């Protein structure tokens, strides 16, 4: 599987069928192994990484009450160092754009640099302080695809803590970093991203597969 293959699947309108197949293979991986290991992401979803080709990547993100979630040490407001294409497989995702204004007078948040390492994330406070307010919100449902440019602060909200899953495609932009907004006094710290074991990964994939199968997703 390659990034271009998944991009073609989305463009061709067959994301649902493709995802059912991929999730089924990962679910069966509990007994025969597929090489995919899920991760509890600090933004509240389970990440099933599928493709990594240099600056290109593809993951399935699963929000579910059926699995323990990791917690963010900063906030849900963040920006990527990569351009995002996100396709909603089932459920709903609200993308809330952030209004972020640089200021040193009465700031509400500090900007943190998130540096990923093999052992987890280094969360490094920067000198940059800002005011934050939620901006325009867009609601996307099953079968919708949306894009977000690198460097745009936002948060992804699952309405009423419902069940949802997306296919996320990322294309890295050189020179940009992954950033998060957090409390002003939060110090430098390290967050270990917890990897799911093979059985947990299989259960997450099966849960997502069943949810997708019963969702009657329209279109792609």
């Amino acid at each position: 599987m390659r990034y271009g293959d998944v991009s073609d699947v989305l463009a061709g309108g067959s994301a649902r069928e493709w995802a059912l197949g991929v999730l089924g293979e990962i679910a069966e991986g509990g007994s025969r192994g597929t090489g995919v290991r899920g991760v509890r992401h600090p933004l509240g979803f389970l990440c099933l990484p599928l493709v990594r080709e240099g600056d290109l990547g593809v993951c399935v993100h699963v929000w579910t009450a059926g699995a323990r979630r990791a917690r963010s040490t900063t906030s849900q407001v963040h920006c990527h160092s990569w351009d995002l294409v996100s396709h909603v497989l089932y459920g709903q995702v609200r993308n809330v754009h952030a209004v972020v204004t640089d200021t040193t007078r009465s700031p509400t948040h500090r900007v943190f640099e998130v540096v990923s390492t093999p052992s987890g994330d280094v969360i490094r406070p920067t000198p940059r302080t800002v005011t934050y307010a939620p901006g325009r919100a867009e609601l996307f449902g099953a079968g919708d695809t949306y894009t977000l440019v690198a460097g745009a602060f936002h948060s992804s909200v699952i309405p009423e803590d419902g069940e949802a899953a997306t296919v996320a495609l990322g294309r890295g932009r050189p020179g940009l970093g992954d950033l998060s907004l957090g409390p002003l006094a939060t110090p430098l710290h390290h967050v270990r991203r917890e990897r799911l074991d093979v059985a947990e990964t299989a259960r997450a994939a099966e849960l997502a597969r069943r949810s997708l199968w019963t969702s009657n997703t329209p279109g792609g």
Side-chain angles (χ1 to χ4, degrees):
M1 185 190 312
R2 299 183 63 83
Y3 179 96
D5 298 331
V6 182
S7 181
D8 289 344
V9 164
L10 296 188
S14 55
R16 184 173 187 270
E17 292 73 17
W18 169 84
L20 284 170
V22 169
L23 292 169
E25 290 179 5
I26 298 172
E28 292 177 6
S31 59
R32 63 183 178 86
T34 62
V36 175
R37 290 278 299 278
V39 177
R40 296 188 210 280
H41 196 282
L43 292 176
F45 53 82
L46 302 180
C47 174
L48 302 177
L50 304 180
V51 175
R52 188 66 178 181
E53 303 170 3
D55 290 334
L56 303 176
V58 179
C59 298
V60 172
H61 294 167
V62 181
W63 287 264
T64 178
R68 181 171 56 84
R69 300 182 183 184
R71 293 187 178 183
S72 172
T73 58
T74 51
S75 78
Q76 297 293 304
V77 183
H78 63 285
C79 72
H80 309 134
S81 60
W82 33 271
D83 295 327
L84 169 70
V85 177
S86 183
H87 178 86
V88 182
L89 293 171
Y90 61 83
Q92 293 183 319
V93 177
R94 181 177 290 118
N95 184 49
V96 182
H97 295 265
V99 180
V100 175
T101 305
D102 287 73
T103 184
T104 57
R105 298 181 60 185
S106 302
T108 60
H109 293 77
R110 184 175 301 280
V111 176
F112 291 79
E113 184 181 17
V114 182
V115 180
S116 296
T117 71
S119 60
D121 297 330
V122 177
I123 314 298
R124 180 177 294 123
T126 73
R128 183 182 176 191
T129 55
V130 301
T131 58
Y132 157 76
R136 177 171 54 95
E138 305 167 300
L139 184 64
F140 300 99
D144 290 337
T145 300
Y146 65 96
T147 61
L148 194 69
V149 298
F153 279 101
H154 68 287
S155 57
S156 298
V157 179
I158 307 305
E160 299 178 357
D161 288 328
E163 304 284 310
T166 64
V167 182
L169 290 78
R171 180 182 293 272
R173 294 276 297 275
L176 296 182
D178 295 313
L179 305 175
S180 178
L181 300 188
L184 293 168
T186 300
L188 172 74
H189 60 285
H190 182 271
V191 175
R192 183 177 66 87
R193 291 201 183 185
E194 182 183 348
R195 295 186 70 193
L196 307 183
D197 61 26
V198 172
E200 290 174 312
T201 299
R203 284 195 296 270
E206 178 59 16
L207 185 153
R209 189 194 68 81
R210 289 181 181 178
S211 296
L212 179 56
W213 178 257
T214 58
S215 67
N216 296 316
T217 309

